[in-house]
Amino acid sequence: MQMKQWYMEYKIHKNRTGLLGDIASLMGMLEINILTINGVEDRTRGMLLQTNDDEKIEVMGKMLEKVDNITINALRKPKLVDILAVRHGRYPERDSDDKKTFRFTREELGLLVDFLGEIFKRDGNQVIGLRGMPRVGKTESVIAGSVCSNKRWTFVSSTLLKQTVRQQLSMDEMNPNNVFIIDGIVSSMRANDQHRLLVQEIMAMESTKVIEHPDIFIRETPYNYDLFNVIIELRHDPAEEISYDALTSGYGDFI
């Protein structure tokens, strides 16, 4: 049978000596491999497991339900947030109302880059919106995420070094395996018709697109919020307000 990965998370009620060893021994007897283990939030431990027999996972879960010192919070095929929780010891902050929106601060750039890198590894069409004020690290995070996923990035529009408004791309740049970076303000408010046609062509491709300032892009183009698979908000600190009025009224000041 094919080897599969599983994510297990449990809450520790009494962290007695040898508790982890007992759990690991049970997994060893069932021939369930522990790939990664880490503390996740307060008194919670996460494990990334591997086995070729799903029934062994079911048996282990039922046995661990009888252990008084712990409570199993999750036993499932790993989601992206599970993988990140094991690697970094915490889950990305997620909007309670809008489940596709995740929030990060500059102190969490490592977590954000890993998050983007895992998304970029996926095949097919993906559109990621990236909110944030100037000089917070939006574009740099996308580039670093592209490196982590071993993918090439292509600037369609940007203000990273100078205002970039592409009107055409080479054959290599139009590779669907690339990560296309679009500045939503530049492409929708500062560009000519030829650039907009290029953006439409890219948006129709089965590829990964990252759109900075997605709310302006939605407001100024025929696209809507349903276009986005994930929305990321990046702030200098949790209390920072992302104000698009300041961005659009004096956009030249940030170029």
Side-chain angles (χ1 to χ4, degrees):
M1 296 178 66
Q2 183 181 5
M3 298 294 286
K4 296 180 182 178
Q5 291 188 2
W6 291 81
Y7 175 72
M8 186 180 80
E9 181 182 294
Y10 60 89
K11 183 79 172 181
I12 302 172
H13 302 298
K14 183 181 179 181
N15 194 14
R16 63 171 175 79
T17 302
L19 176 61
L20 177 58
D22 291 344
I23 295 173
S25 296
L26 172 61
M27 293 179 181
M29 288 186 288
L30 291 170
E31 297 182 324
I32 297 173
N33 300 323
I34 301 175
L35 300 180
T36 313
I37 182 171
N38 199 357
V40 179
E41 309 299 345
D42 181 43
R43 297 184 68 83
T44 304
R45 182 169 285 128
M47 293 182 177
L48 195 61
L49 310 174
Q50 186 182 58
T51 181
N52 61 354
D53 190 341
D54 294 349
E55 290 186 7
K56 291 180 178 180
I57 293 292
E58 184 178 351
V59 170
M60 179 195 68
K62 290 180 179 179
M63 295 179 69
L64 290 178
E65 286 178 358
K66 303 299 182 180
V67 179
D68 294 333
N69 299 133
I70 66 172
T71 297
I72 302 297
N73 294 336
L75 185 57
R76 59 181 177 239
K77 294 180 180 179
K79 303 176 182 179
L80 171 56
V81 291
D82 298 330
I83 295 172
L84 294 176
V86 173
R87 289 179 185 171
H88 296 271
R90 62 177 297 272
Y91 284 99
E93 182 183 350
R94 197 169 193 171
D95 190 282
S96 58
D97 297 321
D98 181 6
K99 295 301 183 181
K100 71 168 65 175
T101 298
F102 295 83
R103 298 191 178 101
F104 299 85
T105 64
R106 275 193 63 86
E107 291 184 353
E108 300 168 323
L109 285 181
L111 178 60
L112 173 56
V113 169
D114 205 0
F115 181 80
L116 288 170
E118 290 297 326
I119 293 177
F120 294 167
K121 289 176 184 177
R122 298 173 178 173
D123 297 326
N125 185 57
Q126 299 182 99
V127 184
I128 298 99
L130 185 50
R131 296 177 177 136
M133 298 301 287
R135 305 185 185 95
V136 74
K138 298 186 300 297
T139 308
E140 296 89 336
S141 298
V142 176
I143 293 173
S146 301
V147 173
C148 288
S149 63
N150 198 30
K151 285 193 173 182
R152 178 178 176 180
W153 63 91
T154 298
F155 283 113
V156 181
S157 58
S158 175
T159 59
L160 180 62
L161 299 177
K162 60 180 180 178
Q163 187 165 355
T164 300
V165 184
R166 302 292 299 274
Q167 297 186 18
Q168 61 182 7
L169 298 176
S170 67
M171 292 295 293
D172 288 341
E173 290 175 313
M174 288 297 286
N175 187 332
N177 196 46
N178 291 355
V179 175
F180 295 94
I181 305 173
I182 299 172
D183 186 302
I185 296 177
V186 173
S187 287
S188 63
M189 300 180 66
R190 306 281 177 171
N192 56 28
D193 290 340
Q194 191 171 353
H195 173 80
R196 294 191 180 96
L197 288 174
L198 175 62
V199 171
Q200 291 177 16
E201 183 179 357
I202 291 169
M203 295 303 295
M205 294 173 59
E206 288 289 314
S207 60
T208 298
K209 281 84 67 169
V210 179
I211 301 178
E212 298 180 12
H213 313 301
D215 302 280
I216 302 301
F217 187 79
I218 292 171
R219 189 186 74 188
E220 301 294 331
T221 67
Y223 301 100
N224 59 44
Y225 184 75
D226 294 335
L227 169 75
F228 295 93
N229 302 95
V230 176
I231 298 286
I232 294 169
E233 296 179 353
L234 179 58
R235 293 174 169 84
H236 288 93
D237 59 76
E240 182 182 41
E241 179 183 358
I242 300 175
S243 173
Y244 287 105
D245 291 338
L247 289 175
T248 55
S249 62
Y251 199 65
D253 296 338
F254 301 118
I255 297 174

